[in-house]
Amino acid sequence: SLYRNTVWFIKGLQEYTKSGYEAAERRFNAADLEVSVTGRSFIVTGANSGIGKTAACEIAKRGGMVHMICRNKDRAEEARKDIVDQSKNENVHVHVVDMSSPRKVWEFANGFSQNHSLHVLINNAGCMVNQRELTEDGLEKNFATNTLGTYILTTALIPTLKKSQDPRVITVSSGGMLVQKLNVEDLQFETGSFDSTMVYAQNKRQQVIMTEQWAAQHKEIHFSSMHPGWADTPAVRSSMPDLYEKMKNKLRTEAQGADTVAWLAISDAASRQPSGLFFQDRKAVSTHLPLAFSRCSPDDEQKLMNVLGQLADKFKC
């Protein structure tokens, strides 16, 4: 929709940029992040760079035990060293998992649950593959990583989270989802043209709906999704080079992009918010643009969860 894309871009220039963050920051309560999370265990997916690494470091600085889920062992170990150096916290652990492989995600989650407690899961890992590409399991790669991988990891770890005090799940979505209405009939983009930015936006819409559904089903856990804004991260540079070149002087720092992730993960203020909301700069915001007709029916939302459940079960260890 040209209307959705135009309204979204104007909104983005006002809110998602560095100046948007600086304007929002004036209402932040600095004391919200002045907390110790010693004794609490956190999983951060995609923690070897960008927003995931920054959020992991903020948690480690406050005493949390951090479990980094990364695909590349060498890059993960290098990131771990950086986090330990900055935080002076040795309690940072690397787990090598490819989030696009449902079997590997199940395998990791089952093993982790047997050996560790968990207080907070941060679903940050994501990808934007620019051509339609299938995984070895025959799944479209963006969907496999961003949607199904997130669904399986969260679903598998919910029983472990429920055993902890003040359990939370934060999913790093994107304001880009505002331009997409859920299309439950073609979750893997098997028909029509393949536009990677729209595929990514559709995946991010799916994540927001999953968050809302989980919040309704599991009252003991605080669920939230969030938009980090337009941040200068390695992923943005590699996946969206045109946007990066146009906007590089206006992009947020990684720390600004990760601020709301850390706030949702560790602050008492965040846990007092209703579960299932979508956040931007420490504030719950609408999941739809005005007059964008991007809402779907409850039946379609339930169908999404049913399809994901069936797919997840197919790969269950």
Side-chain angles (χ1 to χ4, degrees):
S1 161
L2 179 61
Y3 168 79
R4 279 184 212 153
N5 288 338
T6 304
V7 171
W8 174 79
F9 191 70
I10 293 167
K11 179 182 176 69
L13 289 173
Q14 294 171 335
E15 299 176 20
Y16 302 164
T17 53
K18 184 185 290 187
S19 61
Y21 176 85
E22 289 164 352
E25 188 182 22
R26 296 184 196 119
R27 61 174 165 74
F28 291 177
N29 181 356
D32 284 356
L33 295 185
E34 292 170 3
V35 295
S36 168
V37 288
T38 302
R40 286 176 69 77
S41 171
F42 299 75
I43 282 179
V44 185
T45 67
N48 65 334
S49 68
I51 285 163
K53 181 183 174 184
T54 304
C57 194
E58 291 301 315
I59 291 162
K61 284 176 182 175
R62 291 161 177 82
M65 177 186 287
V66 177
H67 295 276
M68 304 167 60
I69 294 186
C70 305
R71 188 177 53 183
N72 183 297
K73 188 175 192 302
D74 292 341
R75 289 176 60 199
E77 292 292 352
E78 190 178 324
R80 179 194 176 274
K81 184 177 181 302
D82 282 350
I83 292 168
V84 169
D85 287 347
Q86 289 182 53
S87 67
K88 310 297 184 249
N89 179 353
E90 291 281 347
N91 225 340
V92 181
H93 310 277
V94 167
H95 306 268
V96 179
V97 185
D98 183 348
M99 290 297 295
S100 73
S101 170
R103 287 187 184 85
K104 297 278 173 55
V105 178
W106 274 119
E107 198 176 281
F108 163 77
N110 292 337
F112 185 92
S113 299
Q114 289 169 19
N115 299 300
H116 303 278
S117 62
L118 180 64
H119 296 85
V120 181
L121 168 62
I122 299 174
N123 290 311
N124 166 73
C127 70
M128 187 192 293
V129 180
N130 290 322
Q131 303 295 325
R132 190 171 192 277
E133 186 181 315
L134 300 184
T135 67
E136 61 183 15
D137 298 304
L139 300 166
E140 192 278 314
K141 195 161 191 177
N142 295 289
F143 170 81
T145 306
N146 301 330
T147 302
L148 187 59
T150 298
Y151 176 88
I152 292 173
L153 185 64
T154 305
T155 302
L157 291 173
I158 279 172
T160 306
L161 284 159
K162 284 183 177 180
K163 295 174 188 172
S164 301
Q165 185 179 9
D166 186 21
R168 308 183 192 189
V169 175
I170 298 103
T171 298
V172 179
S173 180
S174 167
M177 64 93 192
L178 292 168
V179 305
Q180 283 284 305
K181 177 180 179 179
L182 176 68
N183 178 9
V184 79
E185 301 305 325
D186 189 17
L187 293 175
Q188 299 191 57
F189 289 84
E190 293 168 278
T191 61
S193 60
F194 188 88
D195 179 333
S196 60
T197 54
M198 291 302 107
V199 172
Y200 183 78
Q202 177 68 206
N203 294 162
K204 294 299 173 178
R205 169 64 73 188
Q206 292 158 7
Q207 289 180 343
V208 168
I209 291 170
M210 289 191 296
T211 298
E212 293 167 346
Q213 294 289 313
W214 285 325
Q217 293 165 15
H218 305 286
K219 305 291 189 186
E220 312 95 314
I221 301 173
H222 189 275
F223 290 90
S224 54
S225 56
M226 59 79 67
H227 174 40
W230 295 340
D232 186 351
T233 65
V236 168
R237 292 183 186 201
S238 63
S239 299
M240 305 176 76
D242 292 346
L243 176 72
Y244 173 75
E245 281 304 318
K246 285 178 191 167
M247 302 295 296
K248 60 185 175 186
N249 296 325
K250 295 183 170 67
L251 296 178
R252 298 179 175 201
T253 64
E254 290 175 348
Q256 290 170 338
D259 175 82
T260 297
V261 182
W263 182 81
L264 287 166
I266 69 177
S267 77
D268 289 337
S271 66
R272 292 194 293 270
Q273 295 281 329
S275 183
L277 300 181
F278 177 69
F279 288 83
Q280 175 187 312
D281 294 333
R282 303 193 191 183
K283 182 182 176 184
V285 295
S286 175
T287 56
H288 299 278
L289 294 169
L291 305 174
F293 301 105
S294 53
R295 297 178 192 276
C296 65
S297 69
D299 285 350
D300 277 354
E301 293 180 352
Q302 190 54 58
K303 186 173 180 182
L304 170 69
M305 300 304 281
N306 293 344
V307 169
L308 292 174
Q310 289 162 10
L311 264 178
D313 285 347
K314 181 178 164 186
F315 295 102
K316 198 168 186 178
C317 301

